[in-house]
Amino acid sequence: MSEAGGDRGCGSPAPQRAPWSLVATTAALCLVTATSMWTAGAAPMTREEKQKLGNQVLEMFDHAYGNYMEHAYPADELMPLTCRGRIRGEEPSRGDVDDALGKFSLTLIDSLDTLVVLNKTKEFEDAVKKVLRDVNLDNDVVVSVFETNIRVLGGLLGGHSLAIMLKEKGEYMQWYNDELLQMAKQLGYKLLPAFNTTSGLPYPRINLKFGIRKPEARTGTETDTCTACAGTLILEFAALSRFTGATIFEEYARKALDFLWEKRQRSSNLVGVTINIHTGDWVRKDSGVGAGIDSYYEYLLKAYVLLGDDSFLERFNTHYDAIMRYISQPPLLLDVHIHKPMLNARTWMDALLAFFPGLQVLKGDIRPAIETHEMLYQVIKKHNFLPEAFTTDFRVHWAQHPLRPEFAESTYFLYKATGDPYYLEVGKTLIENLNKYARVPCGFAAMKDVRTGSHEDRMDSFFLAEMFKYLYLLFADKEDIIFDIEDYIFTTEAHLLPLWLSTTNHSVSKKSTTSEYIELDDSNFDWTCPNTQILFPNDPLYAQSIREPLKNVVDKSCPRGVIRVEESFRSGSRPPLRARDFMATNPEHLEILKKMGVSLIHLKDGRVQLVQHAIQAASSIDAEDGLRFMQEMIELSSQQQKEQQLPPRAVQIVSHPFFGRVVLTAGPAQFGLDLSKHKETRGFVASSKPYNGCSELTNPEAVMGKIALLLRGQCMFAEKARNIQNAGAIGGIVIDDNEGSSSDTAPLFQMAGDGKDTDDIKIPMLFLFSKEGSIILDAIREYEEVEVLLSDKAKDRDPETENESQNQSAEQTTPGSQEVDLVDGASPEDSPLNSHPESSSPAATDSATASASPSQQNSDPTENHGPPGFDGECTYLDEDEEQSETEEDSNPNVSWGKEAQPMHPILANWNEDMEAIEMMEKEMEKREMMKGEL
């Protein structure tokens, strides 16, 4: 889906029905139902065990929701490390991710129907009253149309759906008179001006008070939007039309979907990630099932389920056939180019594709769903959470994890489809990891880096809207839920819309027409929901037999790239030249490069520059080989740079009342004890005197056997380390002297030596920004004795101290820490660490000479589906890797960070890649036409 996460499935299953059941309404409605079979080797979970886990989910929700209401409401979201609300404009901007915030108590609205699913009807009634009393939808703020639709409009409609259900039951909500629906209608009309384009595709943003294009609106100049942003409207807008009788909403959403369908690439039947809302031209021509596209596919299938329009199913099946033909490379799902679908567009995957196994379950294609889900689970078992992006050989590409629910969603649907208790164990693992690694005193904190266990001061609304809903339903029996969830369909944000809408105000809506629909092989529709065949062979070992080959796939690591060779094009010819095999001194290799349109230039500084002009290639096939070679060279160069960087370290506060829950990402040092090779260092902290540590300490007895705190400045880092080491300190933490510096705005860096031999320094040294360092200083002021752990990554907490920690009252807790952020949400692995030797010179100059890599030049924003930073669900994964500064020593003859890379190609003119290929094809077409005329 898009950045949020969401359920893309059709309700919950009933044990008494067949594996797939067809509900008779005027629209064919598919429901997933659990079977009674289970996988051998995974013993059935007892009713008591499931109840215990369900109660644990309830307690976790109470912890998250209660802290939001206590510390953040009426703000949009909770900042769980600092125990306060996130208010738009009062916190440093996080870019597109903040477009989800509209000063409309987002988390409360997003959580409404979760309260009912979790049987918290009294809390639901109170929450509805708060929304009606406090929420204002007329704020002068620019918001994402996509996020506002799925989270706020969807939340209001989901709340209304369950409010009228409860009212009919006669106990709760007897006073309710469609107030939430009226708010939803008001919001719907506020979003309609976004559709004022020639294409019918909506602008990506709108001002809630002033709309579009007015001077005071501060929006309306955008030209592009993501496919999911424009294609994830039909469920909410159609439901609003069916509930109110105002057909305009459904009509606008259908028009947007119709336009996207017409603009699909006709030969591949794929859609791109980004489209021009005025011309309909594809701006980003890569295609996958993750960020930027995901929920477009989801809503095509679910629109068929909810609205009964066969054309939506036809479109979905057409796209699904293309996905399985080009993008699916079991168990992987890799992006391809829409015009060249046999050519992979990237060699990494983003976390948002984790929803796709659940969508495959809804379609009835169970085998690939099991395969991809198992692959993702293996990645989770290695990193505790699913990184925002990971490579085809399962290395971390983007290290963040904002507590996304997509994997839990797919786990829920696979369990409902198979009844296999294996998926209950998967859910149990998710619960344990959330409590062990993400739980903090004021809620649950997103992971800034899954490798170190550091946190981010963020708890998105979708965490409450979706994660707890799916986990509770996973362990709940039918009698545990106060209504029949089979009567509802989940939106992409897991909001519940009643299936009876398919027959309400049906006559006022026009069905979409699918023009130029391409007949597919009948086998493509065999598994279409409603399913006409049994879910899988009558063999309880079936699901296990699919999973078994993937059990060690992450540890064994797939071959890098998973690049397919078009055998039909290359019969009998040698395989293409691979970047890892290339030698600049090999004449044969240079000839191959020339054939591929790649030029090699030796620069004066000794580096080698590679440039590809696809139009100069001998053929289109050679041009594709050249593009692939350049992509591989980018990754090879990037990896070589990363291997020379030190990874971030962790400072973990382990004393009362933190007990290891607060983890700060720290910059490493190029000298001293290497924490990745030696046991972590644990000790109480003490401030050094002088605080800058630039001379012999006057309080050696205070730092003896402790970890010394020092202020940056006045001398070299290595000199500070020697002084505290001589005083008997077992480690050191240098805190930035730039007041207010924060991981939110500054790149992480590593401390360099002083240009001399530093082998005499034996203690570990780490660096913290001012904001993060102040968390330790504040803890000292409040608790005096503060113990920390310096390590290469966060360590597991002691179960006893964990229990003690959870028993602490809210008054005993202190704001958690906000770990050092990486520039623009990039993970440590993606952003070069800054290397800084401490200098007394106020005019330290930036000596970094690294050129932007092609991946940097081609950066694209991403939606909350977003990666990284995964802002909102509908921004694009941010591939920017900002260059980091490297300060010099005061000695002008010493230059830091200028070591030549082994093979550091500056792949110039990267943006010409696919355009050049297309130009070449057009030129060939012109020549053919000229021949025809002659």
Side-chain angles (χ1 to χ4, degrees), residues 127-159:
V128 172
K129 291 178 180 178
K130 284 185 172 67
V131 169
L132 300 179
R133 182 191 68 206
D134 301 335
V135 172
N136 177 22
L137 298 176
D138 197 41
N139 299 311
D140 179 12
V141 59
V142 176
V143 297
S144 162
V145 172
F146 168 83
E147 298 291 350
T148 305
N149 172 65
I150 65 171
R151 301 203 205 187
V152 185
L153 183 58
L156 292 172
L157 292 172

Side-chain angles (χ1 to χ4, degrees), residues 194 196-204 212-213 220-225 259 263 275-281 283:
N196 187 22
T197 62
T198 55
S199 66
L201 298 179
Y203 283 96
I212 294 284
R213 299 186 120 178
T221 60
E222 303 94 335
T223 58
D224 307 333
T225 192
F259 190 83
K263 290 299 178 179
I275 191 170
N276 186 297
I277 59 177
H278 303 296
T279 66
D281 294 332
V283 179

Side-chain angles (χ1 to χ4, degrees), residues 147-302:
E147 298 291 350
T148 305
N149 172 65
I150 65 171
R151 301 203 205 187
V152 185
L153 183 58
L156 292 172
L157 292 172
H160 170 70
S161 299
L162 297 188
I164 57 178
M165 177 275 298
L166 290 173
K167 184 176 182 179
E168 289 176 359
K169 286 181 174 290
E171 184 176 356
Y172 294 97
M173 305 299 292
Q174 296 305 298
W175 54 270
Y176 183 71
N177 192 29
D178 295 349
E179 288 87 350
L180 290 178
L181 180 60
Q182 296 309 311
M183 288 186 69
K185 187 176 181 180
Q186 176 192 359
L187 180 59
Y189 279 117
K190 285 185 172 292
L191 295 179
L192 284 184
F195 293 82
N196 187 22
T197 62
T198 55
S199 66
L201 298 179
Y203 283 96
R205 298 173 184 83
I206 194 168
N207 187 299
L208 289 175
K209 187 177 185 68
F210 298 108
I212 294 284
R213 299 186 120 178
K214 297 178 182 178
E216 58 269 37
R218 306 185 304 283
T219 189
T221 60
E222 303 94 335
T223 58
D224 307 333
T225 192
C226 72
T227 299
C229 299
T232 311
L233 299 160
I234 187 64
L235 293 189
E236 292 83 1
F237 272 49
L240 184 57
S241 287
R242 302 294 175 97
F243 272 129
T244 64
T247 62
I248 189 172
F249 304 108
E250 184 171 343
E251 290 169 358
Y252 274 44
R254 281 178 178 266
K255 183 179 179 182
L257 274 181
D258 291 346
F259 190 83
L260 289 173
W261 170 254
E262 292 300 322
K263 290 299 178 179
R264 74 192 186 283
Q265 210 291 321
R266 299 305 176 96
S267 61
S268 66
N269 281 319
L270 294 173
V271 293
V273 173
T274 313
I275 191 170
N276 186 297
I277 59 177
H278 303 296
T279 66
D281 294 332
W282 290 110
V283 179
R284 274 188 54 188
K285 300 171 185 176
D286 46 317
S287 183
V289 296
I293 300 180
D294 48 5
S295 49
Y296 162 69
Y297 293 133
E298 174 189 359
Y299 269 37
L300 283 178
L301 182 55
K302 290 185 177 180

Side-chain angles (χ1 to χ4, degrees), residues 716-731:
M716 296 291 194
F717 288 120
E719 184 178 347
K720 297 176 187 289
R722 291 188 179 98
N723 287 331
I724 63 172
Q725 179 176 272
N726 292 338
I730 61 174

